Amino acid sequence: MLMNEDLAKAFAAAIKRQLGVEASPCRDIPGGAAIYSDGDAAIYAIGCDALAVLHPCGVSLAAARILAKPDERAFRAVRAALKELEEYISGLLGIHPDIYLAGHEDDRDICCIYCLAPEKPEVRDSLFNALMDALPVCSYYREEGGDAMLFRESGEGLREDARRAAAIIEAHCARAGLCGPYERAISARGCLTKAWRAAKAEGAGVLPFGECRYGEFWRDASRVMANERFCARDFCHEALWRMREYDISRGTEYVKSLRAYLDSGRSPRKAADLIGVHRNTMAYRMRRVEELFGVSLDDGEICFELQFSMRVVEFLDATDEGESSAFFAPLAQRAMWAVLRGEPCKARKADARLILIPVDDMDDSRRNALLVKLLSPDEPRAAAFDDDIIYIAQSVDADTRALKGILRDEGLPGVVSQPFSLERLHCQMRIMRLFMRYVRSFSGAGGLIWANGACSTIFYLMLQQKVDLAPFCCDEVLRVTDVDYLKGSTLSASLYAYLTHYTDIKGAANEKRVHRNTLDYQVKKALALIGEEPLDDLIRFEMLCTYRILLTTGYSIL
């Protein structure tokens, strides 16, 4: 045997600590003695003074020189070699990226690449070794479908790293996905999912996840909507739906014009060029949108909700009405249908609003007294209730001033749905219960909160019950929030104000009550971190969506 017994025991102990398994007994093999072997990898003693980690393909991944003499100096050298080797093994023998990141929280500028495995093993191994040589890899994870590598962004930058990797991958006729860089290890959690999804998307070479993230999100959203039997209108701003109906009945193009206006950053000139009309015509149409449909296009929040609603209609089936109220409790259903004080068959197609009021902390007498107030004979309402919520249905045009007063006196919040056909009653109850829980998590004050100002939030609340939203957060936004965390800056809040005002620095500065030059400086620093200036319209929209996801999941950017 080419290794003495003491050294063999030392290596075996190190393997047990690192891999949690007993090392197999030393046995002679061609070229050396095996210290550990499990069919996936092996540690061999090569000659008398070298240690090598070998992959099943026979390619040496790492080597550490050792001393063969069993003296104290030799054992110190062995321990040092083992420590170095253990760190290397942790990245090379199947350590999932999230596990690696959990143990290396101080790592910075982390990227992830996932390469789909070529069919031929020899091609896969050749590709693997070429990527290991080309990228500053810090962790490797192999699974049946491909190889994932975490690497630190080199001094040449991610674009140059991606270019080198793309050349290697294309030369091997393979495909891969890329995501990052991440300023903090914690933000890189889940990077394997992002890189994997990018690799699975159509294309060749290396595809950054950012280039397919948008389509992947709506693909998942469509699947959830179909499974949950929701339809597009359930999550659309009511003004957009009325605008659609107006365009159909009058032959106008308000929806098309509004989309061009919002997608171009609320620039009448750019919007006019986009759809081929005069600038004055575009400005006139936007004034008419405000007059006819009761929205303020100076309000960045409303503009985003309208823009988001347009995407919902574009990517989801706007005609599929999903499930009907037939699945809801018959007693509550009959009570709600009485809202218009007519025959149920006549009321089915009429629009109504649903109002939810929490009563879970009330005793029966107080709850009954509240119900009597809410069902005043002067108000055309119907009600149903369960253990924790009173549901009020009323016609779309009903006055809510009396209701506001009751809730203010009681110190209770209430959430108000958008108009819906009574056939959609069950869906609206499910959606608004989610919204009520969200509202109560940050507000206990009395008053009404309207759903038409929170379409995107409600949509994300619904989605996060079924899918992980983290992979769809822009890496660009995460990089800025990470810098804020590490340096105590407020770049993310400034960037958010800038985006919600559709790149209007003056308007954003007024809202934040800071000098225009100060905000402009902070925004430029944020955009420099992102590497996108000027911002592409789609990236700007995706970044706003990311902020909505972060706010919906309780992340503070203020």
Side-chain angles (χ1 to χ4, degrees):
M1 186 164 60
L2 300 177
M3 273 186 102
N4 66 54
E5 187 174 353
D6 290 335
L7 288 178
K9 289 179 179 179
F11 284 121
I15 295 303
K16 183 176 180 180
R17 286 197 303 275
Q18 178 62 38
L19 302 179
V21 296
E22 294 287 347
S24 59
C26 298
R27 53 188 174 84
D28 291 331
I29 61 168
I35 305 302
Y36 168 77
S37 177
D38 69 352
D40 289 332
I43 292 182
Y44 294 99
I46 305 297
C48 296
D49 61 353
L51 179 74
V53 180
L54 297 179
H55 202 266
C57 63
V59 178
S60 177
L61 302 183
R65 302 290 293 181
I66 63 171
L67 298 173
K69 295 180 181 180
D71 56 22
E72 188 61 31
R73 180 183 175 187
F75 277 108
R76 284 200 300 269
V78 168
R79 291 189 187 100
L82 284 173
K83 183 177 180 181
E84 179 181 349
L85 185 63
E86 285 179 21
E87 292 176 355
Y88 204 79
I89 288 173
S90 70
L92 292 178
L93 298 184
I95 303 300
H96 191 281
D98 284 353
I99 298 176
Y100 173 87
L101 293 166
H104 297 77
E105 294 183 353
D106 294 330
D107 280 12
R108 300 286 181 266
D109 296 321
I110 292 290
C111 305
C112 180
I113 189 168
Y114 179 89
C115 188
L116 295 177
E119 293 182 4
K120 296 182 178 180
E122 60 271 20
V123 176
R124 178 178 186 176
D125 294 326
S126 172
L127 173 59
F128 165 78
N129 286 303
L131 289 175
M132 291 288 289
D133 291 338
L135 301 174
V137 175
C138 54
S139 177
Y140 162 69
Y141 179 67
R142 170 163 284 192
E143 58 184 14
E144 183 177 352
D147 303 298
M149 298 177 186
L150 288 183
F151 64 95
R152 294 182 179 88
E153 185 181 7
S154 70
E156 300 177 32
L158 180 61
R159 285 186 173 86
E160 183 59 26
D161 294 336
R163 187 195 64 76
R164 287 198 302 270
I168 294 169
I169 289 167
E170 288 172 1
H172 288 79
C173 300
R175 286 164 47 194
L178 174 72
C179 67
Y182 302 94
E183 187 70 20
R184 292 194 297 155
I186 191 171
S187 296
R189 306 279 177 85
C191 58
L192 175 57
T193 301
K194 294 183 180 182
W196 176 82
R197 295 191 72 148
K200 290 288 187 178
E202 293 183 4
V206 176
L207 178 66
F209 181 68
E211 294 184 14
C212 66
R213 174 180 57 217
Y214 190 66
E216 290 290 300
F217 169 78
W218 289 111
R219 188 174 295 110
D220 276 13
S222 298
R223 174 178 53 80
V224 173
M225 291 276 282
N227 291 343
E228 296 299 304
R229 305 180 73 177
F230 289 118
C231 71
R233 186 176 179 180
D234 293 333
F235 303 96
C236 286
H237 195 289
E238 61 180 281
L240 176 65
W241 216 259
R242 287 189 284 117
M243 207 180 304
R244 284 166 50 89
E245 293 174 347
Y246 191 96
D247 281 350
I248 293 171
S249 63
R250 306 290 182 90
T252 52
E253 294 186 331
Y254 287 124
V255 172
K256 177 181 177 180
S257 301
L258 178 61
R259 172 155 187 175
Y261 179 72
L262 296 178
D263 285 351
S264 60
R266 297 194 302 191
S267 168
R269 179 183 57 80
K270 291 181 180 178
D273 292 342
L274 194 61
I275 63 174
V277 299
H278 194 275
R279 176 180 178 178
N280 292 343
T281 302
M282 178 60 66
Y284 169 76
R285 288 181 181 178
M286 294 305 98
R287 288 197 301 271
R288 289 291 290 163
V289 164
E290 292 182 316
E291 294 168 1
L292 291 171
F293 308 108
V295 294
S296 171
L297 298 183
D298 291 329
D299 187 328
E301 295 287 341
I302 293 299
C303 286
F304 173 74
E305 294 301 341
L306 288 168
Q307 192 175 21
F308 184 86
S309 298
M310 290 176 184
R311 295 305 195 282
V312 171
V313 172
E314 176 185 2
F315 285 96
L316 305 177
D317 188 357
T319 59
D320 182 9
E321 287 298 313
E323 68 179 317
S324 71
S325 295
F327 296 91
F328 188 62
L331 180 61
Q333 181 176 311
R334 288 198 298 271
M336 292 301 181
W337 274 2
V339 67
L340 298 181
R341 293 182 175 177
E343 294 297 327
C345 60
K346 295 179 181 178
R348 286 173 63 88
K349 295 298 181 182
D351 280 347
R353 292 189 190 274
L354 185 63
I355 303 168
L356 271 63
I357 303 166
V359 292
D360 52 320
D361 58 350
M362 292 184 178
D363 57 31
D364 290 344
S365 60
R366 186 183 172 195
R367 186 180 301 169
N368 291 335
L370 176 61
L371 197 57
V372 170
K373 290 182 183 179
L374 293 172
L375 293 179
S376 167
D378 297 329
E379 299 291 341
R381 299 178 186 145
F385 60 89
D386 53 28
D387 290 338
D388 56 352
I389 289 177
I390 290 178
Y391 305 91
I392 302 290
Q394 66 179 39
S395 63
V396 171
D397 299 326
D399 192 349
T400 59
R401 284 176 295 182
L403 182 59
K404 289 179 182 178
I406 293 171
L407 295 180
R408 186 174 57 250
D409 294 343
E410 295 284 344
L412 293 171
V415 294
V416 186
S417 78
Q418 301 194 79
F420 62 92
S421 165
L422 288 179
E423 291 183 336
R424 305 293 301 161
L425 177 61
H426 182 42
C427 290
Q428 285 298 320
M429 284 188 161
R430 293 168 59 198
I431 292 169
M432 297 309 291
R433 283 182 70 91
L434 281 176
F435 188 41
M436 169 59 76
R437 286 201 295 268
Y438 173 76
V439 168
R440 295 188 74 188
S441 68
F442 66 83
S443 173
L448 290 178
I449 299 174
W450 297 75
N452 58 10
C455 306
S456 58
T457 296
I458 296 171
F459 188 74
Y460 290 130
L461 287 171
M462 181 274 295
L463 277 185
Q464 74 176 356
Q465 294 188 313
K466 302 296 179 182
V467 297
D468 180 13
L469 295 179
F472 304 112
C473 290
C474 291
D475 295 347
E476 296 86 349
V477 169
L478 296 180
R479 193 164 180 81
V480 178
T481 57
D482 284 349
V483 169
D484 281 350
Y485 177 85
L486 294 169
K487 299 184 178 180
S489 56
T490 58
L491 300 181
S492 191
S494 298
L495 179 62
Y496 180 61
Y498 174 73
L499 294 171
T500 53
H501 283 79
Y502 286 76
T503 69
D504 175 11
I505 286 287
K506 183 178 179 181
N510 289 338
E511 180 186 281
K512 288 183 62 64
R513 298 181 181 179
V514 298
H515 194 278
R516 176 177 178 175
N517 292 344
T518 301
L519 184 68
D520 186 49
Y521 171 74
Q522 291 182 321
V523 168
K524 285 182 178 177
K525 285 190 68 175
L527 295 179
L529 289 170
I530 294 170
E532 291 280 351
E533 190 177 3
L535 283 176
D536 175 82
D537 294 330
L538 179 57
I539 288 293
R540 183 178 66 244
F541 176 73
E542 284 192 83
M543 290 169 69
L544 273 172
C545 289
T546 295
Y547 277 115
R548 279 297 191 276
I549 291 174
L550 294 177
L551 291 170
T552 299
T553 53
Y555 186 92
S556 175
I557 60 171
L558 302 178

